[in-house]
Amino acid sequence: MTDDKATVELLGMQIIDEIIVDEVNYYKRIYKDKGLSGLLELI
């Protein structure tokens, strides 16, 4: 088992959080520009 407070674990969680935020922002921009139908066409 790993320690979820270890430096490497915290860094990994931070990087994953940044990736998620980037992805969400990408889809938000598409939704804002093209609406729901444009978003659904993309996925």
Side-chain angles (χ1 to χ4, degrees), residues 23-38:
E23 288 295 312
V24 168
N25 287 333
Y26 171 74
Y27 289 108
K28 276 182 168 180
R29 282 192 303 272
I30 292 169
Y31 178 75
K32 182 180 176 187
D33 294 341
K34 299 182 180 183
L36 183 58
S37 62

Side-chain angles (χ1 to χ4, degrees), residues 5-42:
K5 301 294 183 200
T7 304
V8 69
E9 293 290 328
L10 294 174
L11 181 59
M13 288 187 284
Q14 179 182 358
I15 291 170
I16 291 170
D17 287 347
E18 290 173 10
I19 292 169
I20 292 170
V21 167
D22 289 344
E23 288 295 312
V24 168
N25 287 333
Y26 171 74
Y27 289 108
K28 276 182 168 180
R29 282 192 303 272
I30 292 169
Y31 178 75
K32 182 180 176 187
D33 294 341
K34 299 182 180 183
L36 183 58
S37 62
L39 182 59
L40 292 174
E41 283 180 22
L42 181 69

